[in-house]
């Protein structure tokens, strides 16, 4: 059913089961992280709910509703999502509310997929809440939200809530082997870089980011040895500098973990010796400070628009030298 991404199957099966038993909830909220392909889970659930003649938990794939869903042209299937990066506004919700108040065009079920529910403005959330509080027959809301996001508690309380988390490493490894030809060791590194999320890991492998990170962290090491921020500065990418900051942060976090003898969730598994050597030359307090400095740089660059990126980076790197390395 969800063979595309095997880790979705348990959640799909449990939710689809409730519909097979006639107990499908009118508002299903699934919280999940990016990199797990949760969109596919919503697509399959929508198909199952729309199907006129489902085969237990699976849509039949043959009926008119299934054909319309496959062609992405079912008139009773609607999506509510941020448009052009903007939050989901109250007008969008009102429009959906009006549509679902009408009779289903295909005389079957209606589905509204709310993508990025944490992006509802307060007014939009309240408008949606009204609809969720008065369930209509044959009308189902499927809501997706980031696992770290906070939603209006009242919306939360109206939903049946599910959590989708990263699959076990063996399952991710097995799936990656069907997608690419890299060595097992590379896959393990990509998975730890991608927080255990298989789609992130695949992207990392396909874009050659393991090698890029290795090269960049070697340059970071040179900078550390030679105390030369002006040598490292030009190596920051014009577009992906936040990614490179994350690499430095991962290196620092692993160094701190080494210092504190914590072995879980290491990210820089391909440069273990470098991490250990660096860690041995620092104090735990120094490493903590280094992490704070780089986190500040990251959040400054992330939140402020139109700033001089290079200046902020240079300032951060200089602080690493004066406040950590030379203390
Ligand atoms: Zn069908």
């Amino acid at each position: 059913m969800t063979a595309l991404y095997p880790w979705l199957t348990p959640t799909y099966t449990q939710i689809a089961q409730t519909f097979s038993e006639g107990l499908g909830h009118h508002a299903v909220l699934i919280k999940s992280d990016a990199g797990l392909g949760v969109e596919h889970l919503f697509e399959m659930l929508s198909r199952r709910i729309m199907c006129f003649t489902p085969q237990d938990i699976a849509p039949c794939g043959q009926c008119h509703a299934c054909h319309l869903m496959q062609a992405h042209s079912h008139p009773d299937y609607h999506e509510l999502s941020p448009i052009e990066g903007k939050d989901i506004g109250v007008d969008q919700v009102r429009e959906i509310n009006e549509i679902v108040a009408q009779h289903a065009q295909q005389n079957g079920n209606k589905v509204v997929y709310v993508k990025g529910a944490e992006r509802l403005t307060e007014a939009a959330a309240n408008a949606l809440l009204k609809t969720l509080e008065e369930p209509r027959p044959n009308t189902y809301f499927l809501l997706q939200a980031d696992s770290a996001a906070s939603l209006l508690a009242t919306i939360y309380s109206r939903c049946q809530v599910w959590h989708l988390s990263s699959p076990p490493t063996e399952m991710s490894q097995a799936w990656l082997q069907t997608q690419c030809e890299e060595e097992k060791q590379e896959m393990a590194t990509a998975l730890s870089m991608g927080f255990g999320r298989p789609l992130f890991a695949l992207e990392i492998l396909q874009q050659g980011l393991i090698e890029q990170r290795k090269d960049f962290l070697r340059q970071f090491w040179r900078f550390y040895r030679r105390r030369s921020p002006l040598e490292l500065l030009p190596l920051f990418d014009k577009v992906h500098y936040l990614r490179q900051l994350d690499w430095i942060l991962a290196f620092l976090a692993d160094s701190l973990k080494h210092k504190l003898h914590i072995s879980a969730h290491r990210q820089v598994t391909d440069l273990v010796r470098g991490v250990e050597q660096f860690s041995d030359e620092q104090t735990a307090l120094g490493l903590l400070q280094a992490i704070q400095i780089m986190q500040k740089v990251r959040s400054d660059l992330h939140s402020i628009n139109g700033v001089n990126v290079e200046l902020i980076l240079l300032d951060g790197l200089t602080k690493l030298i004066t406040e950590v390395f030379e203390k």
Side-chain angles (χ1 to χ4, degrees):
M1 166 57 10
T2 47
L4 187 58
Y5 304 136
W7 55 90
L8 300 178
T9 304
T11 311
Y12 174 82
T13 305
Q14 290 180 64
I15 299 175
Q17 198 77 48
T18 65
F19 281 88
S20 295
E21 290 163 3
L23 301 170
H25 199 279
H26 73 281
V28 174
L29 167 65
I30 304 175
K31 298 193 89 177
S32 101
D33 295 311
L36 296 176
V38 73
E39 307 76 23
H40 185 63
L41 177 58
F42 279 96
E43 188 175 338
M44 297 319 287
L45 284 172
S46 301
R47 288 188 186 190
R48 165 62 186 77
I49 294 169
M50 285 303 201
C51 177
F52 285 127
T53 50
Q55 317 287 302
D56 190 21
I57 62 164
C60 74
Q62 307 294 326
C63 70
H64 189 50
C66 278
H67 286 151
L68 287 172
M69 285 302 287
Q70 283 157 18
H72 302 285
S73 57
H74 199 303
D76 299 314
Y77 172 82
H78 308 281
E79 277 189 24
L80 195 54
S81 59
I83 299 170
E84 290 170 3
K86 290 192 195 111
D87 285 344
I88 304 173
V90 66
D91 290 340
Q92 281 174 271
V93 176
R94 284 197 187 122
E95 199 180 315
I96 288 286
N97 284 350
E98 265 172 46
I99 294 170
V100 296
Q102 292 157 14
H103 209 73
Q105 294 192 38
Q106 292 290 320
N107 282 319
N109 290 328
K110 284 173 277 185
V111 166
V112 178
Y113 171 30
V114 185
K115 190 179 176 183
E118 73 277 0
R119 303 287 307 273
L120 289 158
T121 63
E122 204 180 326
N126 281 315
L128 182 64
L129 183 63
K130 283 213 179 80
T131 306
L132 297 183
E133 278 171 340
E134 295 161 15
R136 290 170 184 280
N138 306 343
T139 303
Y140 299 96
F141 282 83
L142 303 178
L143 299 92
Q144 178 269 324
D146 278 351
S147 56
S150 57
L151 279 182
L152 213 57
T154 38
I155 293 241
Y156 214 82
S157 70
R158 295 289 158 186
C159 296
Q160 184 186 62
V161 184
W162 299 81
H163 295 270
L164 183 73
S165 41
S166 301
T169 311
E170 306 76 55
M171 185 186 273
S172 303
Q173 288 260 16
W175 178 77
L176 284 172
Q177 274 165 7
T178 67
Q179 303 297 312
C180 59
E181 315 235 294
E182 318 296 324
E183 300 285 322
K184 236 180 153 183
Q185 188 53 44
E186 297 275 287
M187 290 182 189
T189 303
L191 272 170
S192 56
M193 274 173 82
F195 311 101
R197 303 178 205 163
L199 297 188
F200 280 174
L202 183 61
E203 213 175 271
I204 287 164
L205 291 168
Q206 287 171 339
Q207 294 184 13
L209 293 183
I210 296 180
E211 214 38 53
Q212 282 185 38
R213 181 176 78 165
K214 215 183 253 179
D215 288 343
F216 185 77
L217 287 177
R218 286 197 183 111
Q219 296 303 324
F220 179 74
W221 182 268
R222 271 168 77 95
F223 147 76
Y224 160 62
R225 277 282 182 253
R226 293 155 63 139
R227 313 282 197 254
S228 54
L230 289 172
E231 267 184 299
L232 186 61
L233 198 58
L235 301 177
F236 276 93
D237 190 275
K238 292 274 171 288
V239 180
H240 299 293
Y241 51 83
L242 289 180
R243 176 194 280 161
Q244 290 167 310
L245 280 174
D246 285 338
W247 293 343
I248 295 178
L249 276 163
F251 182 82
L252 295 172
D254 273 20
S255 302
L256 182 59
K257 281 178 187 161
H258 176 70
K259 196 103 212 155
L260 302 176
H261 309 290
I262 301 168
S263 56
H265 305 295
R266 295 276 181 98
Q267 286 186 60
V268 193
T269 48
D270 53 336
L271 290 172
V272 175
R273 254 188 290 165
V275 166
E276 290 177 359
Q277 194 183 340
F278 180 75
S279 176
D280 291 341
E281 294 173 14
Q282 315 298 322
T283 63
L285 194 64
L287 288 167
L288 200 60
Q289 249 174 326
I291 290 171
Q292 283 165 350
I293 290 168
M294 294 320 278
Q295 271 172 345
K296 174 88 170 48
V297 169
R298 196 191 189 290
S299 76
D300 284 352
L301 289 175
H302 188 64
S303 59
I304 312 166
N305 286 324
V307 288
N308 192 330
V309 174
E310 287 183 335
L311 217 59
I312 292 185
L313 285 171
L314 181 60
D315 186 52
L317 295 175
T318 308
K319 274 190 182 136
L320 278 186
I321 295 174
T322 56
E323 293 176 23
V324 182
F325 301 159
E326 293 190 340
K327 254 216 158 142

